[in-house]
Amino acid sequence: RKEVEQDPGPFNVPEGATVAFNCTYSNSASQSFFWYRQDCRKEPKLLMSVYSSGNEDGRFTAQLNRASQYISLLIRDSKLSDSATYLCVVTLNQAGTALIFGKGTTLSVSS
Amino acid sequence: DAGVIQSPRHEVTEMGQEVTLRCKPISGHDYLFWYRQTMMRGLELLIYFNNNVPIDDSGMPEDRFSAKMPNASFSTLKIQPSEPRDSAVYFCASRLGGAGNTEAFFGQGTRLTVV
């Protein structure tokens, strides 16, 4: 089941660039949304939750469009340390229990 | 807290052998998840538990896979018999509560190679 779709990339950008990732999900019953980050050969870790009104955390901005079932992540002023795979995540059902992950978008920031 | 603990970190086994992966969730977390990650399929949800009870095992690929959670601090994922296509990284994750934006914490994973 392809419940969460992401462009796999890779996105290759220079330091300081702004980059945007998009994600679509198929289950309209999904209630909670997240972006996770996964470094090479490491476990996924929460980057930020995504709220209906949109939210910002430093250089990172997340947006949610429930009508279009679309989630985005914007990274401003990219750093070398932002190089990683970014995973779009939605909850499985209205109960908001299990997390379903997209396959991820790979970002490589170069100097 | 030490976080979610998985063992072993690496496992190499021969086709046909039984493999048991272990997970200790974060104390107090009432949800536990098993995921499998491959390049081709990404992170797939295999099964999850709430208060030690399996809730959804629809992601378990075949009858060769089974999972148990005998108590709140321990879970196993067993593959019997193992096949080369089972080679993947298996992650265990735990989470507090069911609804809302609570974070799921992952263990470091078990890298399984079946030869």
Side-chain angles (χ1 to χ4, degrees), chain A residues 10-43:
Chain A
F11 284 62
N12 298 305
V13 303
E15 275 187 293
T18 295
V19 61
F21 304 140
N22 302 317
C23 164
T24 57
Y25 61 95
S26 60
N27 189 347
S28 59
S30 296
Q31 291 294 316
S32 298
F33 309 89
F34 310 86
W35 283 99
Y36 274 66
R37 170 188 168 134
Q38 186 173 25
D39 294 301
C40 187
R41 300 180 78 85
K42 299 286 190 180
E43 72 274 23

Side-chain angles (χ1 to χ4, degrees), chain A residues 81-101:
Chain A
S81 57
D82 293 334
S83 298
T85 297
Y86 291 83
L87 303 164
C88 178
V89 187
V90 307
T91 50
L92 179 62
N93 50 34
Q94 283 187 315
T97 51
L99 302 182
I100 304 301
F101 286 75

Side-chain angles (χ1 to χ4, degrees), chain B residues 63-113:
Chain B
D63 290 345
R64 299 184 296 106
F65 286 70
S66 62
K68 294 181 179 179
M69 192 165 185
N71 57 63
S73 59
F74 183 66
S75 177
T76 59
L77 178 68
K78 186 177 294 186
I79 308 172
Q80 167 63 17
S82 58
E83 297 183 3
R85 59 195 170 116
D86 301 332
S87 298
V89 180
Y90 290 81
F91 286 104
C92 175
S94 70
R95 191 181 188 202
L96 177 63
N101 291 340
T102 56
E103 179 179 358
F105 292 86
F106 282 75
Q108 292 182 300
T110 295
R111 186 171 297 272
L112 174 66
T113 303

